[in-house]
């Protein structure tokens, strides 16, 4: 019975062809032809047998923009997906396109929280921010010249029934298990690629820097919130004071209202900051995707070294057989095997050596192909990252400037209120 799983070499060949087309400028990504939106999130109840009472689903809407896309897509699509299905999609892409820097998913649970941010995964604000991040995740895949053409991704966007069964039939789960072997391979490698060592070092530094940045931002947000909320005390005192002061009452009361506005406005300002923090978190998670890319390179390097070691051992066995000292008795007592036996064993070993050398050659080609594509992916990632982080940090600075300007304006009004007192 023929296997239902796609042939790895055929898939790799198709991916290589697609990459060549895109490199010439003739290929296009799905983003140019399909509008993708994650418009709603909905809380639903689980079955009685499930440990979790509820789960969240997200509504994916798609709209065909033109007829230039070479793969079949529906004019309109409307379906619900769970977060776990997004996880399935990403795991499939990661094991199918080993060389790709697959975009990360948003946080499953709130990270870098402070006392005024929700920790409940069903909190409406958190769910809505995750909805926006999941939409961004789909946009990044749809903008990729290769990933966006994958039929499983297209099915995720528009296949209403049976998508989970379809993706399981690809055998991605079995392939994903082999990734676990890469976790501790680095210490056993005889030869490392300096390019991927640099990527690994860079990814570690990116993670550390963004981690510290997000922690500092969370602490600062907590302090800003506390300080601004303390102005409610000013507002209450000035309002009460205005009752006792006939001549100063009007100015004190208006000043009290402005103090209250300082306390009331900080929540909305920090909510806007959370959106910026989510963008920083995406690149924090991207550092993990880069580390995973390096581990996959290490796995291929390890497989090559194992294949080379296997050929080396077989050659040593061949030399011993040719010397007539391959058997246990000949090694113990120095006896020599008959020539016919030696010839038969040498022939068998030569066949195995040839097969092993072919495995070595195939492993070299696979490693070289992976490395070239992965390095190209990293270079593209660096370009996009610089643009994105520049915009994100500029947005954060603009938010701080607007907050400072609004504070200055409010304090100016408070001063005018005090100066208006006769």
């Amino acid at each position: 019975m023929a296997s239902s799983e796609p042939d790895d070499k055929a898939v790799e060949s198709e991916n290589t062809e697609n990459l060549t087309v895109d490199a010439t400028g003739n290929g296009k990504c799905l983003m140019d032809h399909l509008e993708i939106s994650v418009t709603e999130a909905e809380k639903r109840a689980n079955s009685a047998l499930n440990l979790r009472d509820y789960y969240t689903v997200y509504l994916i809407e798609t709209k065909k923009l033109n007829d230039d896309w070479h793969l079949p897509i529906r004019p309109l699509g409307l379906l619900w997906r769970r977060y776990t299905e997004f996880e399935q999609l990403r795991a499939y892409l990661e094991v199918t396109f080993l060389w790709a820097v697959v975009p990360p998913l948003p946080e499953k649970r709130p990270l870098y929280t402070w006392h005024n941010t929700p920790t409940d995964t069903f909190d409406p604000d958190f769910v809505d921010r995750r909805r926006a991040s999941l939409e961004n995740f789909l946009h990044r895949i749809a903008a990729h010249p290769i990933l966006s053409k994958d039929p499983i991704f297209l099915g995720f966007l528009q296949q209403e029934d049976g998508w989970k069964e379809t993706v399981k039939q690809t055998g991605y789960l079995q392939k994903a298990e082999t990734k676990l072997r890469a976790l501790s391979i680095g210490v056993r490698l005889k030869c490392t690629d300096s390019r991927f060592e640099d990527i690994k070092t860079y990814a570690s530094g990116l993670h550390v820097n963004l981690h510290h940045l997000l922690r500092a931002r969370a602490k600062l947000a907590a302090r800003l919130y506390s300080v601004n909320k303390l102005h409610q005390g000013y507002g209450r005192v000035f309002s009460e004071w205005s009752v006792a002061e006939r001549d100063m009452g009007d100015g004190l009361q208006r000043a009290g209202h402005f103090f209250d506005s300082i306390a009331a406005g900080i929540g909305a300002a920090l909510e806007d900051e959370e959106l910026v923090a989510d963008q920083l978190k995406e690149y924090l998670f991207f550092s993990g995707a880069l580390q995973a890319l390096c581990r996959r390179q290490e796995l291929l390097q390890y497989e090559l070294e194992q294949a080379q070691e296997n050929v080396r051992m077989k050659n040593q066995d061949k030399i011993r057989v040719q010397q007539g000292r391959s058997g246990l008795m000949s090694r113990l007592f120095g006896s020599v095997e008959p020539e016919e036996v030696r010839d038969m064993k040498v022939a068998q070993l030569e066949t195995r050596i040839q097969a092993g050398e072919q495995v070595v050659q195939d492993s070299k080609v696979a490693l070289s192909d992976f490395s070239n594509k992965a390095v190209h992916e990293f270079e593209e990632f660096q370009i996009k990252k610089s643009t994105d982080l520049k915009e994100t940090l500029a947005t954060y600075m603009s938010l701080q400037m607007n907050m400072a300007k609004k504070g200055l304006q409010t304090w100016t009004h408070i001063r005018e209120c005090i100066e208006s007192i006769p």
Side-chain angles (χ1 to χ4, degrees), residues 300-316:
L300 292 175
Q301 176 67 37
Y302 177 71
E303 290 174 347
L304 171 61
E305 292 180 1
Q306 289 292 97
Q308 291 172 330
E309 178 65 17
N310 180 59
V311 171
R312 188 186 69 81
M313 295 295 294
K314 290 293 186 294
N315 276 312
Q316 287 184 349

Side-chain angles (χ1 to χ4, degrees), residues 114-126:
W114 48 284
H115 60 261
N116 199 49
T117 54
T119 56
D120 180 13
T121 56
F122 295 108
D123 179 86
D125 290 337
F126 173 74

Side-chain angles (χ1 to χ4, degrees), residues 31-51:
M31 202 68 178
D32 297 326
H33 309 280
L34 191 68
E35 181 180 308
I36 305 170
S37 304
V38 182
T39 55
E40 296 180 32
E42 183 178 289
K43 185 178 179 181
R44 294 183 181 177
N46 260 317
S47 63
L49 298 178
N50 202 295
L51 295 177

Side-chain angles (χ1 to χ4, degrees), residues 95-277:
V95 300
T96 304
F97 303 92
L98 295 176
W99 45 266
V101 181
V102 181
L105 287 167
E107 57 199 314
K108 194 167 187 176
R109 294 175 179 80
L111 299 174
Y112 301 98
T113 60
W114 48 284
H115 60 261
N116 199 49
T117 54
T119 56
D120 180 13
T121 56
F122 295 108
D123 179 86
D125 290 337
F126 173 74
V127 170
D128 188 62
R129 294 201 335 268
R130 188 164 66 176
R131 175 203 58 76
S133 296
L134 289 172
E135 181 179 278
N136 183 61
F137 167 75
L138 295 179
H139 285 178
R140 289 203 182 275
I141 298 175
H144 194 283
I146 307 300
L147 303 187
S148 64
K149 297 177 182 177
D150 186 82
I152 296 297
F153 174 58
L154 295 174
F156 180 85
L157 296 175
Q158 296 196 321
Q159 183 180 340
E160 295 185 9
D161 300 315
W163 179 83
K164 289 194 287 187
E165 289 69 25
T166 301
V167 71
K168 287 180 181 178
Q169 288 173 4
T170 64
Y172 86 97
L173 287 173
Q174 291 77 10
K175 296 176 186 176
E177 290 176 359
T178 64
K179 289 172 55 181
L180 298 176
R181 295 170 50 194
L183 295 177
S184 59
I185 283 175
V187 297
R188 302 200 301 268
L189 291 178
K190 297 177 181 177
C191 180
T192 58
D193 190 323
S194 61
R195 296 173 298 176
F196 288 91
E197 290 299 308
D198 291 342
I199 293 174
K200 190 190 301 185
T201 301
Y202 170 79
S204 177
L206 180 64
H207 183 277
V208 169
N209 289 325
L210 288 176
H211 166 72
H212 289 315
L213 180 60
L214 286 163
R215 284 189 61 187
R217 184 263 156 189
K219 290 180 180 179
L220 181 59
R223 293 186 182 181
L224 279 173
Y225 183 82
S226 299
V227 169
N228 280 265
K229 282 299 183 181
L230 287 175
H231 287 78
Q232 287 178 329
Y234 280 148
R236 183 177 63 256
V237 169
F238 273 61
S239 296
E240 293 173 354
W241 191 6
S242 68
V243 176
E245 297 286 351
R246 179 181 302 177
D247 296 334
M248 300 173 61
D250 185 58
L252 291 173
Q253 187 177 40
R254 286 189 292 117
H257 288 317
F258 282 115
F259 280 124
D260 288 336
S261 71
I262 294 176
I266 188 61
L270 292 178
E271 284 177 10
D272 291 338
E273 277 193 20
E274 290 298 330
L275 298 176
V276 175

